[in-house]
Amino acid sequence: MILTKHAETRIQQRCIPKLVLDLLLEHGAIEHQHGGTELVYFKTKNFERARNQLERTLKEFDKLREAYLIKSNQEEESLIITAGYLKGSPKTKTHL
């Protein structure tokens, strides 16, 4: 997700968590606007779908304790290379 400086400022001012942006992009209703933009928002049905996803994730959250990802440190936007579950020390993942 790439944010404009304006979006970064407004998101920070309005205390909107990144998780909400992700949920809007995944579950939100889309209304096309003039000028090639789209309004993305939660309708009741979309909001319930997002809530159900969060509830399922929270039930499984303890199992996610060992999750990891490998990302590039050379990209402005995070480029995720792979993901998995740690077995042992995180230091063992430094030489993949």
Side-chain angles (χ1 to χ4, degrees):
M1 166 183 346
I2 300 170
L3 301 174
T4 64
K5 290 290 182 188
H6 175 80
E8 288 176 358
T9 300
R10 292 295 183 252
I11 289 164
Q12 183 178 16
Q13 288 172 340
R14 295 170 179 157
C15 301
I16 299 173
K18 182 184 180 302
L19 175 62
V20 173
L21 302 177
D22 292 336
L23 290 169
L24 279 165
L25 289 171
E26 186 172 342
H27 297 286
I30 298 172
E31 189 174 303
H32 298 280
Q33 298 186 311
H34 297 289
T37 62
E38 298 173 332
L39 170 66
V40 183
Y41 63 99
F42 288 125
K43 287 185 175 180
T44 302
K45 186 176 181 180
N46 306 88
F47 184 78
E48 290 302 320
R49 206 173 314 149
R51 174 184 276 162
N52 290 338
Q53 177 186 331
L54 281 175
E55 287 174 352
R56 284 190 306 273
T57 300
L58 284 173
K59 287 179 184 176
E60 300 290 321
F61 196 70
D62 287 338
K63 294 178 186 177
L64 301 174
R65 170 68 177 88
E66 300 298 317
Y68 74 89
L69 63 83
I70 305 287
K71 70 176 195 72
S72 170
N73 63 0
Q74 298 178 8
E75 301 289 327
E76 189 172 312
E77 176 95 4
S78 292
L79 175 64
I80 297 174
I81 298 165
T82 191
Y85 292 96
L86 293 173
K87 293 183 177 135
S89 169
K91 292 178 183 176
T92 63
K93 298 298 178 193
T94 59
H95 296 86
L96 289 177

